[in-house]
Amino acid sequence: LGQGLGRQRLVYAMRRVASANGVTLPATNTSLVRMVRWWETGHCLPSPFYAELLRRVFELPSPEGMYYTRELRLLSKLR
């Protein structure tokens, strides 16, 4: 799988989980894929909203009082 396909799958999973929780994400996949790429490369970290969404996508337990670093490690494996 290429990097783009891995990111597209993650964006699809993010949309699915967001929709199941009554949340609408930005309309275009392009902006979400770009944001995922920024997270992967360390350009920026996910906001608390997206960190929680990633936690749900990857079905990780809620780390009380911690920032979500496991998701970032998982994201790097999509590359």
Coordinates of all heavy atoms in Angstrom, one line a residue:
L1 N 0.8 -1.2 0.0 CA 0.0 0.0 0.0 C 0.9 1.2 0.0 O 1.8 1.3 0.7 CB -0.9 0.0 1.3 CG -1.9 -1.1 1.4 CD1 -2.6 -0.9 2.7 CD2 -2.9 -1.1 0.3
G2 N 0.5 2.2 -0.8 CA 1.2 3.5 -0.8 C 0.8 4.4 0.4 O -0.2 4.1 1.1
Q3 N 1.5 5.4 0.7 CA 1.2 6.3 1.8 C -0.2 6.9 1.6 O -0.9 7.0 2.6 CB 2.2 7.4 1.9 CG 3.5 7.0 2.4 CD 4.5 8.1 2.5 OE1 4.1 9.3 2.2 NE2 5.7 7.8 3.0
G4 N -0.5 7.3 0.4 CA -1.8 7.9 0.2 C -3.0 7.0 0.5 O -4.0 7.4 1.1
L5 N -2.8 5.8 0.1 CA -3.9 4.8 0.4 C -4.1 4.6 1.9 O -5.2 4.5 2.4 CB -3.7 3.5 -0.3 CG -4.8 2.4 -0.2 CD1 -6.1 3.0 -0.7 CD2 -4.4 1.2 -1.0
G6 N -3.0 4.5 2.6 CA -3.1 4.3 4.1 C -3.8 5.5 4.7 O -4.6 5.4 5.6
R7 N -3.4 6.7 4.3 CA -4.1 7.9 4.8 C -5.5 8.0 4.4 O -6.4 8.4 5.3 CB -3.3 9.2 4.3 CG -1.9 9.3 4.9 CD -1.3 10.5 4.3 NE 0.1 10.5 4.7 CZ 1.1 10.7 3.9 NH1 0.9 10.9 2.6 NH2 2.4 10.6 4.3
Q8 N -5.9 7.6 3.2 CA -7.3 7.6 2.8 C -8.1 6.6 3.7 O -9.2 7.0 4.0 CB -7.4 7.2 1.3 CG -6.9 8.2 0.3 CD -7.8 9.4 0.2 OE1 -9.0 9.4 0.6 NE2 -7.3 10.5 -0.3
R9 N -7.5 5.5 4.0 CA -8.2 4.5 4.8 C -8.4 5.1 6.2 O -9.5 4.9 6.8 CB -7.5 3.2 4.9 CG -7.5 2.4 3.6 CD -6.4 1.4 3.7 NE -7.0 0.1 3.6 CZ -6.3 -1.1 3.8 NH1 -5.1 -1.0 4.2 NH2 -6.9 -2.2 3.6
L10 N -7.4 5.8 6.7 CA -7.6 6.4 8.1 C -8.6 7.5 8.0 O -9.5 7.5 8.9 CB -6.2 7.0 8.5 CG -6.3 7.7 9.9 CD1 -6.8 6.8 11.0 CD2 -4.9 8.3 10.2
V11 N -8.7 8.3 7.0 CA -9.7 9.3 6.9 C -11.1 8.7 6.8 O -12.0 9.2 7.4 CB -9.4 10.3 5.7 CG1 -10.6 11.1 5.3 CG2 -8.2 11.1 5.9
Y12 N -11.2 7.6 6.0 CA -12.5 6.9 6.0 C -12.9 6.4 7.4 O -14.0 6.6 7.8 CB -12.4 5.7 5.0 CG -13.6 4.9 5.0 CD1 -14.8 5.3 4.3 CD2 -13.7 3.7 5.7 CE1 -15.9 4.5 4.3 CE2 -14.8 2.9 5.7 CZ -15.9 3.3 5.1 OH -17.1 2.6 5.1
A13 N -12.0 5.8 8.1 CA -12.3 5.4 9.5 C -12.6 6.5 10.4 O -13.5 6.4 11.2 CB -11.1 4.6 10.0
M14 N -11.9 7.6 10.2 CA -12.2 8.8 11.1 C -13.7 9.3 10.8 O -14.4 9.6 11.7 CB -11.2 9.9 10.8 CG -9.9 9.6 11.3 SD -8.6 10.8 10.7 CE -9.2 12.4 11.2
R15 N -14.0 9.4 9.5 CA -15.4 9.8 9.1 C -16.4 8.8 9.7 O -17.5 9.2 10.2 CB -15.5 9.8 7.6 CG -14.8 11.0 7.0 CD -15.3 11.2 5.5 NE -14.6 12.3 4.9 CZ -14.8 13.6 5.2 NH1 -15.7 13.9 6.0 NH2 -14.1 14.5 4.6
R16 N -16.2 7.5 9.6 CA -17.1 6.5 10.1 C -17.3 6.7 11.6 O -18.5 6.7 12.0 CB -16.6 5.1 9.8 CG -17.5 4.0 10.1 CD -16.9 2.6 9.7 NE -15.5 2.5 10.0 CZ -14.9 2.2 11.1 NH1 -15.7 2.1 12.2 NH2 -13.6 2.1 11.2
V17 N -16.3 6.8 12.3 CA -16.4 7.0 13.8 C -17.0 8.3 14.1 O -17.9 8.4 15.0 CB -15.0 6.8 14.5 CG1 -15.1 7.2 15.9 CG2 -14.5 5.4 14.3
A18 N -16.6 9.4 13.5 CA -17.2 10.7 13.7 C -18.7 10.6 13.5 O -19.5 11.1 14.3 CB -16.6 11.7 12.9
S19 N -19.1 10.1 12.3 CA -20.5 10.0 12.0 C -21.3 9.2 13.0 O -22.4 9.6 13.4 CB -20.7 9.4 10.6 OG -22.0 9.2 10.3
A20 N -20.8 8.1 13.5 CA -21.4 7.3 14.5 C -21.6 8.0 15.8 O -22.5 7.7 16.6 CB -20.6 6.0 14.7
N21 N -20.8 9.1 16.0 CA -20.9 9.9 17.2 C -21.6 11.2 16.9 O -21.5 12.1 17.8 CB -19.6 10.1 17.8 CG -19.0 8.8 18.5 OD1 -19.4 8.5 19.6 ND2 -18.2 8.1 17.7
G22 N -22.2 11.3 15.8 CA -23.0 12.5 15.4 C -22.2 13.8 15.1 O -22.6 14.9 15.2
V23 N -20.9 13.5 14.7 CA -20.0 14.6 14.3 C -19.8 14.6 12.8 O -19.6 13.6 12.2 CB -18.7 14.5 15.1 CG1 -17.7 15.6 14.7 CG2 -18.9 14.5 16.6
T24 N -19.7 15.8 12.3 CA -19.4 16.0 10.8 C -18.0 16.5 10.7 O -17.7 17.6 11.3 CB -20.4 16.9 10.2 OG1 -21.7 16.4 10.4 CG2 -20.1 17.1 8.7
L25 N -17.2 15.9 9.9 CA -15.8 16.4 9.6 C -15.8 17.2 8.4 O -16.8 17.3 7.7 CB -14.9 15.2 9.4 CG -14.7 14.2 10.6 CD1 -13.8 13.1 10.3 CD2 -14.2 15.0 11.8
P26 N -14.7 18.0 8.1 CA -14.7 18.8 6.9 C -15.1 18.0 5.7 O -14.8 16.8 5.6 CB -13.2 19.2 6.9 CG -12.8 19.2 8.3 CD -13.5 18.1 8.9
A27 N -15.7 18.7 4.7 CA -16.3 18.0 3.6 C -15.3 17.4 2.7 O -15.6 16.3 2.1 CB -17.1 19.1 2.8
T28 N -14.1 17.9 2.5 CA -13.1 17.4 1.6 C -12.1 16.4 2.3 O -11.7 16.7 3.4 CB -12.4 18.5 0.8 OG1 -11.6 19.2 1.8 CG2 -13.3 19.4 0.1
N29 N -11.8 15.3 1.6 CA -10.8 14.4 2.1 C -9.4 15.0 2.0 O -8.6 14.7 2.8 CB -10.9 13.1 1.4 CG -12.0 12.2 1.9 OD1 -12.6 12.5 2.9 ND2 -12.2 11.1 1.2
T30 N -9.2 15.9 1.1 CA -7.9 16.5 0.8 C -7.4 17.1 2.1 O -6.2 16.9 2.5 CB -7.9 17.5 -0.3 OG1 -8.4 16.8 -1.5 CG2 -6.5 18.0 -0.6
S31 N -8.2 17.9 2.8 CA -7.7 18.6 4.0 C -7.5 17.7 5.1 O -6.5 17.9 5.9 CB -8.7 19.7 4.4 OG -10.0 19.1 4.7
L32 N -8.3 16.6 5.2 CA -8.0 15.6 6.3 C -6.8 14.8 6.0 O -6.0 14.6 6.9 CB -9.2 14.7 6.4 CG -10.5 15.4 7.0 CD1 -11.7 14.4 6.9 CD2 -10.3 15.8 8.4
V33 N -6.5 14.4 4.8 CA -5.3 13.7 4.4 C -4.1 14.6 4.7 O -3.1 14.1 5.2 CB -5.4 13.2 2.9 CG1 -4.0 12.7 2.5 CG2 -6.4 12.2 2.8
R34 N -4.2 15.8 4.4 CA -3.1 16.8 4.6 C -2.8 16.8 6.1 O -1.6 16.8 6.6 CB -3.4 18.1 4.1 CG -2.2 19.1 4.3 CD -2.5 20.5 3.8 NE -3.1 20.5 2.4 CZ -4.3 21.0 2.1 NH1 -5.1 21.6 3.0 NH2 -4.7 21.0 0.9
M35 N -3.8 16.9 6.9 CA -3.7 17.0 8.4 C -3.0 15.7 8.9 O -2.1 15.8 9.7 CB -5.1 17.2 9.0 CG -5.0 17.6 10.4 SD -6.6 18.2 11.1 CE -7.8 17.4 10.3
V36 N -3.5 14.6 8.4 CA -2.9 13.3 8.8 C -1.4 13.3 8.5 O -0.5 12.9 9.3 CB -3.6 12.1 8.2 CG1 -2.8 10.8 8.4 CG2 -5.0 12.0 8.8
R37 N -1.0 13.8 7.3 CA 0.4 13.8 6.9 C 1.2 14.7 7.8 O 2.3 14.4 8.2 CB 0.5 14.3 5.4 CG 1.9 14.3 4.9 CD 2.0 14.6 3.4 NE 1.5 15.9 3.1 CZ 0.4 16.2 2.4 NH1 -0.2 15.2 1.8 NH2 0.0 17.4 2.1
W38 N 0.6 15.8 8.2 CA 1.3 16.7 9.2 C 1.5 16.0 10.5 O 2.6 16.2 11.1 CB 0.5 18.0 9.4 CG 0.5 18.9 8.2 CD1 1.3 18.9 7.1 CD2 -0.3 20.1 8.1 NE1 1.0 19.9 6.3 CE2 0.0 20.7 6.8 CE3 -1.4 20.6 8.8 CZ2 -0.6 21.8 6.3 CZ3 -2.0 21.8 8.3 CH2 -1.6 22.3 7.1
W39 N 0.5 15.3 11.0 CA 0.7 14.5 12.2 C 1.8 13.5 12.1 O 2.7 13.4 13.0 CB -0.6 13.8 12.6 CG -1.8 14.7 12.9 CD1 -1.8 16.0 13.2 CD2 -3.1 14.3 12.8 NE1 -3.1 16.5 13.3 CE2 -3.9 15.4 13.1 CE3 -3.8 13.1 12.5 CZ2 -5.3 15.4 13.1 CZ3 -5.2 13.1 12.5 CH2 -5.9 14.2 12.8
E40 N 1.8 12.8 11.0 CA 2.8 11.7 10.7 C 4.3 12.3 10.7 O 5.2 11.7 11.2 CB 2.6 11.1 9.4 CG 1.4 10.2 9.4 CD 1.2 9.6 8.0 OE1 1.6 10.2 7.0 OE2 0.6 8.5 7.9
T41 N 4.4 13.5 10.1 CA 5.7 14.1 10.0 C 6.2 14.9 11.2 O 7.3 15.4 11.2 CB 5.8 14.9 8.7 OG1 4.9 16.0 8.8 CG2 5.6 14.1 7.4
G42 N 5.3 15.1 12.1 CA 5.6 15.9 13.3 C 5.4 17.4 13.1 O 5.9 18.2 14.0
H43 N 4.9 17.8 12.0 CA 4.6 19.2 11.7 C 3.7 19.8 12.8 O 3.9 20.9 13.2 CB 4.0 19.4 10.3 CG 3.8 20.8 9.9 ND1 4.8 21.7 9.6 CD2 2.6 21.5 9.9 CE1 4.3 22.8 9.3 NE2 3.0 22.8 9.5
C44 N 2.8 19.0 13.2 CA 1.9 19.4 14.3 C 1.3 18.2 15.0 O 1.4 17.1 14.4 CB 0.8 20.4 13.8 SG -0.4 19.6 12.7
L45 N 0.7 18.4 16.1 CA 0.0 17.3 16.8 C -1.5 17.4 16.6 O -2.0 18.5 16.4 CB 0.4 17.3 18.3 CG 1.8 17.0 18.7 CD1 2.0 17.3 20.2 CD2 2.2 15.6 18.3
P46 N -2.2 16.3 16.7 CA -3.7 16.4 16.7 C -4.2 17.3 17.8 O -3.7 17.2 18.9 CB -4.1 15.0 16.8 CG -2.9 14.1 16.6 CD -1.8 15.0 16.9
S47 N -5.2 18.1 17.5 CA -5.9 18.8 18.5 C -6.6 17.8 19.5 O -6.7 16.6 19.1 CB -7.0 19.7 17.9 OG -8.0 18.9 17.3
P48 N -7.0 18.2 20.6 CA -7.7 17.3 21.5 C -8.9 16.6 20.9 O -9.2 15.4 21.1 CB -8.2 18.2 22.7 CG -7.1 19.3 22.7 CD -6.8 19.5 21.3
F49 N -9.7 17.3 20.0 CA -10.8 16.7 19.3 C -10.3 15.6 18.4 O -10.9 14.5 18.5 CB -11.5 17.8 18.4 CG -12.5 17.2 17.5 CD1 -13.8 16.8 17.9 CD2 -12.1 16.9 16.1 CE1 -14.7 16.2 17.0 CE2 -13.1 16.4 15.3 CZ -14.3 16.0 15.7
Y50 N -9.3 15.8 17.6 CA -8.8 14.8 16.7 C -8.1 13.7 17.5 O -8.1 12.5 17.1 CB -8.0 15.3 15.6 CG -8.8 16.0 14.5 CD1 -8.9 17.3 14.4 CD2 -9.5 15.2 13.6 CE1 -9.7 17.9 13.4 CE2 -10.3 15.8 12.6 CZ -10.4 17.1 12.6 OH -11.2 17.7 11.6
A51 N -7.4 14.0 18.5 CA -6.8 13.0 19.4 C -7.8 12.0 19.9 O -7.6 10.8 19.9 CB -6.0 13.6 20.5
E52 N -9.0 12.5 20.4 CA -10.0 11.7 20.9 C -10.6 10.9 19.7 O -10.9 9.7 19.9 CB -11.1 12.5 21.5 CG -12.3 11.8 22.0 CD -12.1 10.7 23.0 OE1 -11.0 10.7 23.7 OE2 -12.9 9.8 23.2
L53 N -10.8 11.4 18.6 CA -11.3 10.7 17.4 C -10.3 9.6 17.1 O -10.8 8.4 16.8 CB -11.5 11.7 16.2 CG -12.1 11.1 15.0 CD1 -13.5 10.5 15.2 CD2 -12.2 12.1 13.9
L54 N -9.1 9.8 17.1 CA -8.1 8.8 16.8 C -8.1 7.7 17.8 O -8.0 6.5 17.5 CB -6.7 9.4 16.7 CG -6.4 10.3 15.5 CD1 -5.1 11.0 15.6 CD2 -6.4 9.5 14.2
R55 N -8.3 8.1 19.1 CA -8.4 7.1 20.1 C -9.5 6.1 19.9 O -9.4 4.9 20.0 CB -8.6 7.8 21.5 CG -8.6 6.8 22.7 CD -9.0 7.4 24.0 NE -10.4 7.8 24.0 CZ -11.4 6.9 24.1 NH1 -11.2 5.6 24.2 NH2 -12.6 7.3 24.2
R56 N -10.6 6.7 19.4 CA -11.8 5.9 19.1 C -11.6 5.0 17.8 O -12.0 3.9 17.8 CB -13.1 6.7 19.0 CG -13.5 7.3 20.3 CD -14.6 8.3 20.1 NE -14.9 8.9 21.3 CZ -16.1 9.1 21.8 NH1 -17.2 8.6 21.2 NH2 -16.3 9.7 23.0
V57 N -11.0 5.6 16.8 CA -10.7 4.8 15.6 C -9.8 3.6 15.9 O -10.1 2.5 15.4 CB -10.0 5.7 14.6 CG1 -9.4 4.9 13.4 CG2 -11.0 6.8 14.0
F58 N -8.8 3.8 16.7 CA -7.9 2.7 17.1 C -8.3 1.9 18.3 O -7.6 1.0 18.7 CB -6.4 3.3 17.3 CG -5.8 3.8 16.0 CD1 -5.5 5.1 15.9 CD2 -5.5 3.0 15.0 CE1 -4.9 5.6 14.7 CE2 -5.0 3.4 13.8 CZ -4.7 4.8 13.7
E59 N -9.5 2.3 18.8 CA -10.1 1.6 20.0 C -9.1 1.4 21.1 O -8.9 0.4 21.7 CB -10.6 0.2 19.5 CG -11.7 0.3 18.5 CD -12.2 -1.1 18.0 OE1 -11.6 -2.1 18.3 OE2 -13.1 -1.1 17.2
L60 N -8.5 2.6 21.5 CA -7.5 2.6 22.6 C -8.2 3.1 23.9 O -9.2 3.9 23.8 CB -6.4 3.6 22.3 CG -5.5 3.2 21.0 CD1 -4.6 4.3 20.7 CD2 -4.8 1.9 21.3
P61 N -7.8 2.6 25.0 CA -8.4 3.1 26.3 C -8.1 4.6 26.4 O -7.1 5.1 25.9 CB -7.7 2.3 27.3 CG -6.4 1.8 26.7 CD -6.7 1.7 25.2
S62 N -8.9 5.3 27.2 CA -8.7 6.7 27.4 C -7.6 6.9 28.5 O -7.7 6.5 29.6 CB -10.0 7.3 28.0 OG -9.8 8.7 28.2
P63 N -6.5 7.6 28.1 CA -5.4 7.8 29.0 C -5.7 9.1 29.8 O -5.6 10.2 29.4 CB -4.2 8.0 28.1 CG -4.8 8.5 26.8 CD -6.2 8.0 26.7
E64 N -6.2 8.9 31.0 CA -6.5 10.0 31.9 C -5.4 11.0 32.0 O -4.3 10.6 32.5 CB -7.0 9.5 33.3 CG -8.2 8.7 33.2 CD -9.4 9.5 32.8 OE1 -9.5 10.7 33.1 OE2 -10.3 8.9 32.1
G65 N -5.6 12.2 31.6 CA -4.6 13.3 31.8 C -3.4 13.2 30.9 O -2.4 14.0 31.1
M66 N -3.4 12.3 29.9 CA -2.2 12.2 29.1 C -2.6 12.6 27.7 O -3.7 12.5 27.2 CB -1.7 10.7 29.0 CG -1.2 10.2 30.3 SD -0.8 8.4 30.2 CE 0.2 8.3 28.8
Y67 N -1.6 13.1 26.9 CA -1.8 13.4 25.5 C -1.6 12.1 24.8 O -0.9 11.2 25.2 CB -0.8 14.5 25.0 CG -1.3 15.1 23.7 CD1 -2.4 16.0 23.8 CD2 -0.8 14.7 22.5 CE1 -2.9 16.5 22.6 CE2 -1.3 15.2 21.3 CZ -2.3 16.2 21.4 OH -2.8 16.7 20.2
Y68 N -2.3 12.0 23.7 CA -2.4 10.7 22.9 C -1.2 10.5 22.1 O -1.1 11.0 20.9 CB -3.7 10.7 22.1 CG -4.9 11.0 22.9 CD1 -5.5 12.2 22.9 CD2 -5.4 10.0 23.7 CE1 -6.6 12.5 23.7 CE2 -6.6 10.2 24.4 CZ -7.1 11.5 24.4 OH -8.2 11.7 25.2
T69 N -0.2 9.8 22.6 CA 1.0 9.6 21.8 C 1.0 8.2 21.1 O 1.6 8.0 20.0 CB 2.3 9.6 22.7 OG1 2.1 8.7 23.7 CG2 2.5 11.0 23.2
R70 N 0.2 7.3 21.6 CA 0.1 5.9 20.9 C -0.5 6.1 19.5 O 0.0 5.4 18.6 CB -0.7 5.0 21.8 CG 0.0 4.4 22.9 CD -0.8 3.4 23.7 NE -1.1 2.2 22.9 CZ -1.9 1.2 23.3 NH1 -2.5 1.3 24.4 NH2 -2.1 0.2 22.5
E71 N -1.5 7.0 19.4 CA -2.1 7.1 18.1 C -1.0 7.6 17.1 O -1.0 7.2 15.9 CB -3.2 8.2 18.1 CG -4.4 7.7 18.8 CD -4.4 7.9 20.3 OE1 -3.3 8.2 20.9 OE2 -5.4 7.9 21.0
L72 N -0.1 8.5 17.5 CA 0.9 9.0 16.6 C 1.8 7.9 16.2 O 2.2 7.8 15.0 CB 1.7 10.2 17.3 CG 0.8 11.4 17.6 CD1 1.7 12.4 18.3 CD2 0.3 12.0 16.3
R73 N 2.2 7.0 17.1 CA 3.0 5.9 16.7 C 2.3 5.0 15.7 O 2.8 4.5 14.8 CB 3.4 5.1 18.0 CG 4.6 5.7 18.6 CD 5.1 4.8 19.8 NE 4.7 5.5 21.0 CZ 4.2 5.0 22.0 NH1 4.0 3.7 22.1 NH2 3.8 5.7 23.1
L74 N 1.0 4.8 16.0 CA 0.2 4.0 15.0 C 0.1 4.6 13.7 O 0.2 4.0 12.6 CB -1.2 3.7 15.6 CG -1.3 2.8 16.8 CD1 -2.7 2.8 17.4 CD2 -0.9 1.4 16.4
L75 N -0.1 5.9 13.7 CA -0.1 6.7 12.4 C 1.2 6.5 11.6 O 1.1 6.3 10.4 CB -0.3 8.2 12.7 CG -1.7 8.6 13.0 CD1 -1.7 10.1 13.4 CD2 -2.6 8.4 11.8
S76 N 2.3 6.5 12.3 CA 3.6 6.4 11.6 C 3.7 5.0 10.9 O 4.4 4.9 9.9 CB 4.7 6.6 12.5 OG 4.8 5.6 13.5
K77 N 3.0 4.0 11.4 CA 3.0 2.7 10.8 C 2.2 2.6 9.5 O 2.4 1.7 8.7 CB 2.5 1.6 11.8 CG 3.4 1.4 13.0 CD 2.8 0.4 13.9 CE 3.8 0.3 15.1 NZ 3.3 -0.7 16.0
L78 N 1.4 3.6 9.2 CA 0.6 3.7 8.0 C 1.5 4.1 6.8 O 1.1 4.0 5.7 CB -0.6 4.7 8.1 CG -1.6 4.3 9.1 CD1 -2.7 5.4 9.2 CD2 -2.3 3.0 8.7
R79 N 2.6 4.7 7.1 CA 3.5 5.2 6.1 C 4.1 4.2 5.2 O 4.3 3.1 5.5 CB 4.6 6.1 6.7 CG 4.0 7.2 7.5 CD 5.0 7.8 8.4 NE 5.7 8.8 7.6 CZ 6.7 9.5 8.1 NH1 7.1 9.3 9.3 NH2 7.3 10.4 7.4

